[in-house]
Amino acid sequence: MPTTPPPAAHAPHPDLQLAAGWTHWFGDHTAALIEIPLRIVLIIVVLAVVRWLAGRAITRIVRHVLEPAPGEGESRPARRRGRGLAVLQRDRSRVRQRREQRARTIGTVLGSTVTIMLSLVGVAMVLDQVGIALGPLLASAGVVGLAIGFGAQSLVADYLSGLLIMIEDQYGVGDSVDLGEAVGEVEHVGLRLTHVRDLNGGLWHIRNGEILRVRNDSQDWARAVLDVSVSHTADLTTVQRVLEETGRELRRDPAIGDLLLEDPSVWGVQSLDADGIVVRLAVKTVPQEQWGVTRELRRRVKDALDEAGVDIPFRQHTVWLRTENPAHASMN
């Protein structure tokens, strides 16, 4: 008698198998589908907040640069008391232009630097989250950066020097400077180049990295120095009295007295030359006005010395005359 085979096991439905497979796959890839994107989004948000805070700080720095220095308000007399541009007190539009250029350049450089640094940090963190090895990339970037650094080190030095010049406010547009061979008025200050117009009208283009020292005649104050030569027979007491009176009269003159920051003083005998005696007269002035004050002092001192009967020395020479031998002359 044939036996009846056992009933076959019931096979699962294909849809149930597919659902179980998807559930297992989602369970294995939860980190890749949810955690990693959330981390990337969190990184972007944090970097965006940091960039916003840095932007606020940079804005404060720029605003501080744009603030007028003490003594430069519209209600104060046109006299420089702080650092920076001084010759342009009467031309406030140029003063504002210089500040705006300096602040705009500093703000742009700082903003770009912060953005680039945060972008590099963000890219590195995102690549690390997606599982890309950063070691080979950093090594390659280091080699490329080293090659670029060797090839453009002078350019980097120019930009760094230009940034420091602006941050430290060593000079600006309108200042009278001495940069070595280039002596004149600054017309433009950039991150790489400084433009100086000399006395003859020539425009100098100087790389900031090549500027080793700067003499700025437009900061704080200047000094007018006048050396007066008198004859050896002149009474030095009279000379000193005449110079002091002339200096006080110049200070009381409303047309030029505002350019002087103090009463002129006689420093005394500067040198004893073969032709005469040199007496020095000096006074602090508004920056870049020392040359005009010196010219006016020279004119007034000349008139005052003439009125006092003080002689200006004449060049003295000792002449040696050699005659022929008397014995030789008698034979002829």
Side-chain angles (χ1 to χ4, degrees), residues 97-108:
Q97 179 183 1
R98 171 195 167 162
R99 285 205 193 94
E100 289 179 352
Q101 180 191 19
R102 178 168 164 251
R104 182 171 57 251
T105 304
I106 294 175
T108 302

Side-chain angles (χ1 to χ4, degrees), residues 24-209:
H24 182 72
W25 186 87
F26 274 111
D28 294 340
H29 298 81
T30 301
L33 295 177
I34 299 178
E35 294 181 6
I36 293 179
L38 287 178
R39 291 176 183 174
I40 295 175
V41 172
L42 182 61
I43 291 172
I44 295 175
V45 171
V46 171
L47 292 178
V49 172
V50 173
R51 179 62 182 88
W52 179 78
L53 294 176
R56 292 288 300 272
I58 293 172
T59 302
R60 287 191 175 186
I61 295 175
V62 172
R63 188 180 299 116
H64 177 72
V65 173
L66 288 174
E67 288 179 356
E72 291 185 0
E74 296 293 337
S75 60
R76 297 292 301 274
R79 179 174 296 178
R80 176 71 178 181
R81 296 297 187 186
R83 294 194 59 196
L85 194 62
V87 67
L88 305 175
Q89 298 110 357
R90 298 185 179 90
D91 192 351
R92 300 188 183 279
S93 62
R94 294 185 63 184
V95 175
R96 183 70 180 178
Q97 179 183 1
R98 171 195 167 162
R99 285 205 193 94
E100 289 179 352
Q101 180 191 19
R102 178 168 164 251
R104 182 171 57 251
T105 304
I106 294 175
T108 302
V109 172
L110 293 179
S112 301
T113 303
V114 171
T115 301
I116 292 174
M117 292 179 62
L118 292 178
S119 300
L120 293 177
V121 172
V123 170
M125 296 177 69
V126 170
L127 292 179
D128 182 64
Q129 291 298 320
V130 298
I132 297 178
L134 297 179
L137 293 178
L138 292 178
S140 302
V143 173
V144 174
L146 188 62
I148 295 176
F150 276 112
Q153 54 183 340
S154 61
L155 186 63
V156 174
D158 293 339
Y159 277 95
L160 290 178
S161 299
L163 182 60
L164 291 177
I165 287 172
M166 292 187 179
I167 292 177
E168 297 173 358
D169 196 17
Q170 298 179 13
Y171 55 82
V173 176
D175 283 355
S176 179
V177 298
D178 181 352
L179 305 181
E181 295 186 19
V183 180
E185 180 179 344
V186 178
E187 290 194 352
H188 173 74
V189 181
L191 286 177
R192 194 177 71 88
L193 293 175
T194 294
H195 298 167
V196 176
R197 182 79 62 177
D198 62 17
L199 182 63
N200 298 322
L203 185 62
W204 291 71
H205 301 261
I206 307 103
R207 287 172 41 202
N208 293 328

